[in-house]
Amino acid sequence: MERRRPQIAPSPPVSRRKAAAAASQEWLVVPAAGEQRAGEFGRHRIMEMTGLPARDLRMLDPLLSYPSTILGRDRAIVVNLEHVRAIVTAAEVLVRDPSNPRLRPFLQELHARLALPVRPHPPPFRQSCILLDGGDDQGNVPISGSAKIPPFEFKVLEVCLEHTSKCMETETSVLESEAYPALDELTTKVSTSNLDDVRQIKNRLVQLSGRVQKVRDDIEHLLDDDTDMCEMYLTRKLAFQGVNNESSVNVDSNKHAFPDHDHDHEKEEEDRGGDTASSHGSSACVKHVEELEMLLEAYFVEFDGTLNKLCHLRDYVDNTENYINLMLDKKQNQLLQMGVMLTTATVVVTAGIVVVSLFGMNIHIELMADPETPEMARIKNMKFWETTWGTVAGCAAIYLLAIYAGKKSKYLQ
């Protein structure tokens, strides 16, 4: 009998598993009013809720390393600042990967800011009247001595910028506390371990400087473009969209009530109403651009200050490296001088060896002859020492002359 092999169910393809993982993403939805909810939403569901294209959602994927950026879209603001990845709308904020432990301080601060009392929004027609009376399009009439409540998206954006600024400031402080002692120790003792510590610190410094620079440049780009800042005011868009819808409904009702009215006069009234709404919208946009500009300028100053600290630390690292290079060059010059002196001494000793070699030849001279009397032995001994000390003195004189000539020609110091 033939044995039947157990059949194993085929595993799904890798592409299908990746697609299934990408279809469901973990999000935390924090509304402006009400309770938050957490769950897994598909990409298409997020696109329907926020009106964002798929390329913007890819920037919020934790598995992909995209640089920090802030983008203003038609219905939402995309915030990608370090580990804070969120989508801000006029009514709620969607936070990506809420289980990340690094997001706990951010979520706590976000809940604390959104727990502040907010005035109820009036209907769209009332908002248009408030705009005509000098109020804002949130329904907040300016009252003397009272602070104006910022829109929901501005409060969330402020929390994102503040949390990112604190994180980068903390990393900068930790890096400074580690870098300055390590650099000072390196100046006193140049060793392999100290050099390795400074190398790691420099790598961290370069990475942190690049991250801070990117956020600073994004804020500067927003400050230079009023259109982008105007697009980020989502509450104004909803308010004037409601005003336009209500005005269109009123125009339709007037048409049905007065069918014999002149069509040209109706068109003129519509154009006049549209021009009035657009003028009020542009004035409100300019006013809130100034508010957003003040908010961005405050955090631009903070990020710029953090970047200045990192630049000072980088200058300190560069100065330390230059000092170490000067020390090493000095040591190298000293070693070269010592080598020159030893080489000169070797040449001088070689001259003495030549003299000894000459006397070691097998030749008949009076100094090498056997003494016949004690007086001749004494004279022979005296001549031997005279020759020996004369050779040593001659070698020393040649050495001193060589050193003097080197110092006079500035080859030696």
Side-chain angles (χ1 to χ4, degrees), residues 315-326:
D315 293 339
Y316 194 82
V317 172
D318 294 339
N319 293 335
T320 303
E321 289 182 349
N322 295 332
Y323 178 72
I324 296 300
N325 292 330
L326 291 176

Side-chain angles (χ1 to χ4, degrees), residues 284-340:
C285 179
V286 171
K287 179 177 65 176
H288 287 287
V289 159
E290 294 178 356
E291 296 179 3
L292 181 58
E293 187 175 5
M294 293 175 61
L295 173 65
L296 294 177
E297 282 179 353
Y299 288 99
F300 176 81
V301 172
E302 291 190 9
F303 284 107
D304 190 64
T306 304
L307 186 62
N308 288 334
K309 291 182 180 179
L310 294 174
C311 291
H312 293 162
L313 182 57
R314 179 180 296 178
D315 293 339
Y316 194 82
V317 172
D318 294 339
N319 293 335
T320 303
E321 289 182 349
N322 295 332
Y323 178 72
I324 296 300
N325 292 330
L326 291 176
M327 290 179 58
L328 294 178
D329 292 341
K330 182 180 178 181
K331 294 292 183 181
Q332 186 178 6
N333 292 334
Q334 292 177 353
L335 292 175
L336 291 175
Q337 291 182 9
M338 183 177 293
V340 171

Side-chain angles (χ1 to χ4, degrees), residues 218-236:
D218 287 339
I219 297 177
E220 186 178 9
H221 177 72
L222 290 175
L223 289 172
D224 293 339
D225 196 342
D226 292 342
T227 305
D228 290 344
M229 287 191 290
C230 187
E231 289 293 328
M232 294 175 66
Y233 189 59
L234 307 176
T235 306
R236 182 190 62 85

Side-chain angles (χ1 to χ4, degrees), residues 6-62:
Q7 296 181 356
I8 302 176
S11 59
V14 179
S15 59
R16 291 183 180 178
R17 286 182 292 181
K18 289 184 178 179
S24 59
Q25 300 173 352
E26 187 179 2
W27 293 86
L28 177 66
V29 182
V30 182
E35 296 182 356
Q36 66 179 14
R37 63 184 188 275
E40 294 184 356
F41 300 94
R43 181 176 298 177
H44 296 286
R45 175 58 180 165
I46 299 297
M47 293 170 63
E48 293 176 359
M49 296 169 60
T50 60
L52 294 175
R55 65 176 181 272
D56 291 340
L57 294 181
R58 287 178 59 86
M59 299 174 56
L60 304 178
D61 193 349

Side-chain angles (χ1 to χ4, degrees), residues 23 58 85 176 200:
R58 287 178 59 86
R85 302 169 186 264
E176 286 179 342
Q200 295 179 1

Side-chain angles (χ1 to χ4, degrees), residues 179-191:
Y180 287 113
L183 294 172
D184 294 338
E185 185 177 359
L186 181 62
T187 56
T188 57
K189 180 182 179 182
V190 180
S191 62

Side-chain angles (χ1 to χ4, degrees), residues 4-284:
R4 295 182 178 180
R5 296 181 179 178
Q7 296 181 356
I8 302 176
S11 59
V14 179
S15 59
R16 291 183 180 178
R17 286 182 292 181
K18 289 184 178 179
S24 59
Q25 300 173 352
E26 187 179 2
W27 293 86
L28 177 66
V29 182
V30 182
E35 296 182 356
Q36 66 179 14
R37 63 184 188 275
E40 294 184 356
F41 300 94
R43 181 176 298 177
H44 296 286
R45 175 58 180 165
I46 299 297
M47 293 170 63
E48 293 176 359
M49 296 169 60
T50 60
L52 294 175
R55 65 176 181 272
D56 291 340
L57 294 181
R58 287 178 59 86
M59 299 174 56
L60 304 178
D61 193 349
L63 301 179
L64 302 176
S65 58
Y66 277 90
S68 299
T69 184
I70 301 175
L71 298 176
R73 294 296 185 246
D74 188 25
R75 293 169 48 191
I77 300 175
V78 181
V79 179
N80 180 18
L81 297 175
E82 295 296 314
H83 52 274
V84 179
R85 302 169 186 264
I87 301 175
V88 186
T89 64
E92 60 187 8
V93 53
L94 291 80
V95 182
R96 183 73 173 89
D97 194 17
S99 60
N100 188 354
R102 300 178 64 186
L103 285 177
R104 291 178 183 175
F106 167 74
L107 295 177
Q108 293 176 359
E109 183 66 23
L110 182 63
H111 294 158
R113 293 289 181 90
L114 298 183
L116 296 175
V118 181
R119 298 181 183 179
H121 295 284
F125 182 73
R126 174 61 181 162
Q127 288 179 346
S128 61
C129 296
I130 289 174
L131 286 172
L132 293 175
D133 294 337
D136 61 4
D137 50 357
Q138 270 195 293
N140 300 326
V141 180
I143 303 174
S144 60
S146 63
K148 187 161 50 178
I149 300 176
F152 172 77
E153 60 270 17
F154 286 4
K155 291 192 291 186
V156 176
L157 181 61
E158 183 178 3
V159 174
C160 296
L161 291 172
E162 182 178 356
H163 177 74
T164 306
S165 176
K166 287 182 179 179
C167 291
M168 290 185 172
E169 182 68 25
T170 303
E171 291 186 24
T172 302
S173 301
V174 172
L175 185 60
E176 286 179 342
S177 62
E178 296 178 4
Y180 287 113
L183 294 172
D184 294 338
E185 185 177 359
L186 181 62
T187 56
T188 57
K189 180 182 179 182
V190 180
S191 62
T192 305
S193 60
N194 292 338
L195 289 173
D196 187 66
D197 294 340
V198 173
R199 180 184 62 83
Q200 295 179 1
I201 288 173
K202 190 173 182 180
N203 292 337
R204 292 167 53 189
L205 175 61
V206 172
Q207 295 176 2
L208 183 58
S209 300
R211 288 156 48 196
V212 176
Q213 181 73 38
K214 183 62 174 64
V215 179
R216 177 186 174 277
D217 292 342
D218 287 339
I219 297 177
E220 186 178 9
H221 177 72
L222 290 175
L223 289 172
D224 293 339
D225 196 342
D226 292 342
T227 305
D228 290 344
M229 287 191 290
C230 187
E231 289 293 328
M232 294 175 66
Y233 189 59
L234 307 176
T235 306
R236 182 190 62 85
K237 294 180 182 179
L238 290 179
F240 282 99
Q241 185 178 1
V243 172
N244 294 331
N245 292 335
E246 187 169 348
S247 63
S248 63
V249 171
N250 293 332
V251 170
D252 292 337
S253 62
N254 292 331
K255 286 182 180 180
H256 291 291
F258 304 99
D260 297 333
H261 198 270
D262 188 17
H263 295 285
D264 295 336
H265 182 68
E266 291 177 359
K267 185 176 181 182
E268 182 179 355
E269 291 294 334
E270 290 178 2
D271 295 339
R272 186 182 304 172
D275 295 339
T276 304
S278 62
S279 63
H280 286 301
S282 60
S283 62

